Amino acid sequence: MPSTEDSGARSKPSLPWALSRGRRATIAALTVTAVLTGTALFGAGQATAERSAPGTDREIPNIDKVKEQIADYYGDVETPDGEHYASPKSDYAKQVRGIAADAQRDLKRDMAKEHEKTGHGHKPAIVVDVDDTTLLTYNFERQIGYNFDPKLQDEYLRTTDMDAVFGMKKLVNWADKSGITVFFLTGRSEKQRDWSVRNLKNVGYKTPVGTKHFFLKDEEHPPPYLECGADCTTVQYKSGTRKHFESMGFRILANLGDQYSDLKGGHAERTYKLPNPMYFLP
Ligand SMILES: [Mg+2]
């Protein structure tokens, strides 16, 4: 956890705010001039409908401090050979275990209701994402400085197993034993299938991970049920694949993912957002 001292320091302005009116006015005038003359130079930072350019540096978290906070949140543990893992006692671990437990409680209730009914035609299922939903990328992300690189990802997946996300293995294995089909649905590419399957099995996911249960993004040969083909956004790819599961007679009781793009687009009765402060995928 960040120390109280650190938190206190962050909450205080780092520059004196008690500037004279005249001094503030001068700064404001300079800023306007910079905006008027610097549009071409600073165009990328201008306000848009989705985001606005920070007016001062104080609106921007310091990137090194954010990395420290991430390490604290995951309860960073360094091994003698320099690998970094999340602690099972970390706040991250507590949070994701809580979400997995909530999902299991809701699914138990769903399944009890299902058993009360007679003649229902739908097969219960859940959909889970892979990175930072069932497998934890923390060590990899830290190694690459939180700056994604597909070649480094290939190398990591080929050579290294990621840990299971706390609580998720228990949820997934319980669901499978309870008659709920588990679909893994990931933005990882089809060519990363074997490495991903090996990893899931090695860390204890016991549910089927063959081609009928594990869906990766195949941009070379997109499946016919995806109308957007190789040009799907993440939301189109994921919601379109869930729609495909429904068309096969599955009722998706729960959809779990660490990105909002995993969860948007419908075709699931409930969604569960897992935490991920390391990256954002639209
Ligand atoms: Mg993910």
Side-chain angles (χ1 to χ4, degrees), residues 31-254:
T31 306
V32 169
T33 309
V35 168
L36 289 174
T37 58
T39 306
L41 277 175
F42 302 109
Q46 297 301 300
T48 66
E50 290 79 29
R51 66 189 209 204
S52 59
T56 77
D57 64 300
R58 295 179 198 87
E59 294 171 38
I60 309 169
N62 183 284
I63 198 162
D64 287 327
K65 289 291 176 191
V66 170
K67 286 177 184 174
E68 285 174 12
Q69 285 185 312
I70 289 172
D72 291 342
Y73 174 56
Y74 285 93
D76 183 78
V77 178
E78 185 172 3
T79 63
D81 55 353
E83 304 289 324
H84 289 261
Y85 295 99
S87 163
K89 292 178 180 173
S90 63
D91 288 336
Y92 169 74
K94 287 177 199 158
Q95 200 178 346
V96 286
R97 270 198 219 100
I99 294 165
D102 286 349
Q104 185 171 344
R105 180 202 59 217
D106 294 342
L107 287 165
K108 274 183 183 167
R109 197 182 55 221
D110 289 339
M111 293 301 281
K113 276 188 196 163
E114 276 298 297
H115 289 306
E116 285 167 14
K117 295 181 194 168
T118 51
H120 68 84
H122 290 105
K123 299 171 275 187
I126 62 171
V127 175
V128 292
D129 170 52
V130 174
D131 288 307
D132 296 298
T133 300
T134 46
L135 297 176
L136 180 56
T137 70
Y138 174 67
N139 183 47
F140 167 66
E141 286 295 332
R142 197 181 152 114
Q143 276 187 15
I144 61 168
Y146 307 98
N147 189 15
F148 186 75
D149 180 313
K151 280 187 185 157
L152 294 178
Q153 189 200 30
D154 273 355
E155 185 59 16
Y156 192 95
L157 298 186
R158 189 179 67 78
T159 57
T160 316
D161 283 334
M162 294 177 176
D163 286 341
V165 167
F166 303 100
M168 286 301 291
K169 191 167 64 181
K170 184 179 166 202
L171 170 69
V172 163
N173 290 342
W174 168 85
D176 183 52
K177 273 190 188 166
S178 306
I180 300 171
T181 298
V182 178
F183 290 112
F184 291 87
L185 175 55
T186 176
R188 286 189 186 183
S189 90
E190 183 61 43
K191 67 179 171 39
Q192 296 172 323
R193 176 182 288 277
D194 290 349
W195 305 328
S196 305
V197 164
R198 179 211 69 220
N199 192 161
L200 286 166
K201 285 184 177 172
N202 279 353
V203 297
Y205 286 97
K206 297 187 191 309
T207 175
V209 282
T211 52
K212 288 181 180 168
H213 295 88
F214 190 11
F215 289 74
L216 302 97
K217 203 164 189 182
D218 190 345
E219 287 183 328
E220 284 177 25
H221 306 286
Y225 55 80
L226 290 178
E227 287 172 17
C228 40
D231 300 319
C232 290
T233 62
T234 302
V235 172
Q236 288 171 330
Y237 159 63
K238 293 214 161 186
S239 63
T241 308
R242 293 195 301 275
K243 187 179 175 186
H244 171 64
F245 301 152
E246 287 179 343
S247 76
M248 296 190 294
F250 289 96
R251 178 182 164 201
I252 302 169
L253 302 174

